[in-house]
Amino acid sequence: MHGVRGESTRRGFLGLAGGAAGAVLLGSCAKGGETKRPRKGGTVRAVFPGAGAKETLDPHAQRQFVDIARHKAVFDKLVELNGTLHPVPRLATRWETNAEATVWRFELRDAAFHDGHRLDADDVLYSLARILDPDAADHKAKSSLSIIDLRRSRAISGGRGVELVLKRPNAELPSLLAMTGTAVVRRGYRDPSRPVGTGPFQFRSFTAGRTFIARRFDDHWAGPPHVDELRILSAETEARGNAVQAGEVEYAHEMSPTFARVVRGNSKVRIVATPGSGAEGFALKTDRPPFDDPDAAMAMKLLADREKLVNTVLGGKGELGNDIFGRGFEYYPENVPQRGRDVEEARRLLRKSGALNKEITFYTATIADTFVDSAHMFAEQAAEAGLRIKVTTGPPESYFTDMLKTGTIGSHRSGAMPIPTYLSERFLSDSPQNATAWHRPDFDEQFVKAQSETDEKKRTELYRDVQLHLRDTGGLVLWGHPDWLNAVSTKLHGVKPAPPNTLEWARFDTVWLG
């Protein structure tokens, strides 16, 4: 068996685990440079964009950040992602693979579930079987983890380890196990309304669209949280802003650049910003006219005034997108010229594809602050080339499901995740979130070849080819990488800048009040 990415297994994993543990001990600096020490007690109230009745306690069916934050409090994963999107140990203390990347072995941590049961390999295998349940269409990681052959996977080391056998080589399995929807549940878990996990908080109550309450779990393997109680609430943007300014909550997730300007200099609220950590764009449906013609799709990419979108919609708090996901992440293709705006060439391509002067429907919703504004701004930009775009809005609570089948263009966004995970979730023929309806067997084969390559240098080149293929012929107009802005009460300490969906994001077990 070989260590991950050619590193010494023991050295590599001890180093990763030490880095994660060290982050927990970092304090924040008070006025005058005095380091504040964590204090015990109190209740932290955190408010997120809500999804109404669609919110869920099922950790394998999560869709919204509010769900993911609640699940993170109650459950753990085998693996998490650090701030640079590399996999780091959680319930797995280390892992190794054979030379072909077809057999992976994970050593398990000594961790307790909230009911006292100790984690073992059967819990991991049960969790994977639940994720891969053929009848569970809403399990988010199902497609990406379908490469695991559960019939040949098994417990090892007396249940203190698990061996996962794959149907084909995959050098990215630890990162896939860190994606959303991969929490480890107790074997026999069937009732999502009664969650029992190994996470730092123990479930108390939940009302979809409103509130979630959990209490500190004193036997958590990483040590108990500093606070006694965590409340995660759901609210729209204005209500989140008002609540954190009024001292009704200590943490407000995903705030706008406008709000960041409003609270500048406010002694009660600070903004914790993570630069360029997300992705904003438009999804063009490539299975229907006019975007079944790559010329029409390219016209849209040339019509986007990216600088204006970033400066206006993001308030200048972001970076220009280049129709490639994951700037700064591993496998991001460097030295690709920035795509600019060319209205005349866009008009030529629209005329060639037969889309000129035709009306196209852009389906969006208020689920994200940027969606409606960017849709209308893009419609204005497209009109300069003779393309008519009609913007319609749907219900936010079901938007990401509805937009898979509604409209010709849709709003697109993503938090941070490894580039291979992003591609596998959104652009393979069987991807569950294939918003661009991109069904290309040749692209699927190209991606699988990259994912299966065990030589890191060759794998990087193959992923570059995959991404350039998608950039030039696919249906994604990725116009910006917004800064991630969260508002925090100055009474709350220990909140760190972190891309969403990574280890330190929504990390309420390491914060404290003071």
Side-chain angles (χ1 to χ4, degrees), residues 136 185 216 233 284 330 380 389 413 460 465:
V185 300
R216 180 179 63 227
L233 316 170
L284 316 176
E330 186 177 29
E380 294 173 3
I389 294 179
R413 70 185 307 220
T460 300
D465 294 342

Side-chain angles (χ1 to χ4, degrees), residues 478-500:
L478 203 159
W479 55 262
H481 299 280
D483 296 348
W484 199 257
L485 306 175
N486 298 317
V488 179
S489 165
T490 52
K491 295 179 180 179
L492 184 65
H493 306 281
V495 178
K496 307 177 184 70

